[in-house]
């Protein structure tokens, strides 16, 4: 019951904190950008981590994770709530530009005592997949996160294949999320 109440509270807070979603204007059919936009799925929605279907390799899996994604033509915003025995409970919102430029994570998204912090992010579409590159810090070790997001044909499963590279070592994780 407490988890459900926390999840409901998170959804309410995260949804209120996200910018209003706008519907992108469709370009004329002959414009080259129209073909590219058609290949880019809309990742917007609430996504709950399916721990059983995910592959964490040598990394301990989280107890739970929920991501609310809001997508526009120029940015993706991820509001995340996760609970892990390793890093504890965290709630944060990451505005990520879909552009060649990197954006710093806004101050206040992570506390100075958080073991895991995303420092900056940028994203770009590669066909139907969204590639997100981030700089991060984990327990004082700087590193990078390279994630590839893909949506199933029925739109009910979001896969995030992630490569972590830290001073402590490198590893891969495949996260499987179910649409809520």
């Amino acid at each position: 019951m407490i988890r459900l109440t926390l999840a409901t509270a998170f959804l309410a807070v995260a949804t209120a904190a996200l910018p209003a979603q706008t519907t992108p204007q469709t370009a004329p059919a002959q414009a080259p950008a129209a073909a590219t936009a058609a290949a880019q799925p809309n990742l917007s929605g609430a996504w709950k981590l399916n721990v059983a279907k995910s592959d964490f390799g040598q990394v301990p899996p989280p107890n739970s994770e929920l991501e609310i994604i809001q997508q526009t033509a120029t940015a993706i915003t991820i509001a995340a709530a996760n609970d892990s025995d390793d890093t504890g409970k965290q709630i944060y919102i990451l505005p990520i530009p879909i552009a060649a430029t990197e954006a710093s994570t806004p101050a206040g998204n992570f506390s100075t005592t958080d073991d895991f912090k995303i420092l900056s992010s940028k994203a770009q579409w590669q066909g139907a997949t969204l590639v997100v590159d981030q700089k991060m810090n984990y327990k004082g070790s700087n590193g990078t996160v390279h994630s590839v997001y893909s949506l199933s044909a029925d739109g009910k499963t979001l896969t995030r294949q992630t490569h972590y590279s830290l001073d402590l070592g490198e590893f891969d994780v495949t996260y499987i999320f179910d649409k809520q």
Side-chain angles (χ1 to χ4, degrees):
M1 184 67 174
I2 292 174
R3 280 183 185 246
L4 182 57
T5 304
L6 288 174
T8 304
F10 166 73
L11 285 172
V13 170
T15 304
L18 293 175
Q21 184 172 358
T22 58
T23 305
Q25 298 297 319
T26 306
Q30 71 273 16
T36 304
Q40 298 167 355
N42 189 341
L43 306 180
S44 295
W47 299 94
K48 182 179 178 183
L49 180 66
N50 187 323
V51 176
K53 290 183 179 178
S54 299
D55 179 5
F56 295 93
Q58 76 263 22
V59 178
N63 299 318
S64 64
E65 185 167 336
L66 178 66
E67 290 190 358
I68 298 174
I69 298 176
Q70 188 161 33
Q71 177 181 328
T72 67
T74 59
I76 189 162
T77 301
I78 301 173
N82 56 51
D83 179 18
S84 166
D85 291 339
D86 185 41
T87 57
K89 295 180 182 186
Q90 286 188 292
I91 297 175
Y92 53 88
I93 298 174
L94 293 174
I96 304 170
I98 300 176
T101 57
E102 185 176 299
S104 295
T105 300
N109 274 359
F110 294 94
S111 118
T112 55
T113 59
D114 284 342
D115 286 337
F116 174 81
K117 301 175 190 99
I118 298 293
L119 307 175
S120 64
S121 305
K122 69 178 179 178
Q124 64 180 346
W125 285 104
Q126 292 183 358
T129 61
L130 181 68
V131 177
V132 177
D133 288 300
Q134 298 169 305
K135 291 181 182 168
M136 54 90 67
N137 184 281
Y138 174 72
K139 295 185 178 182
S141 177
N142 288 320
T144 60
V145 181
H146 176 81
S147 299
V148 178
Y149 288 80
S150 59
L151 188 63
S152 63
D154 65 4
K156 295 180 180 179
T157 304
L158 179 66
T159 301
R160 182 176 84 210
Q161 296 177 319
T162 303
H163 178 78
Y164 294 89
S165 179
L166 297 141
D167 299 337
L168 304 170
E170 297 190 16
F171 58 94
D172 296 298
V173 175
T174 300
Y175 299 87
I176 305 294
F177 292 91
D178 298 320
K179 190 150 195 178
Q180 300 301 292

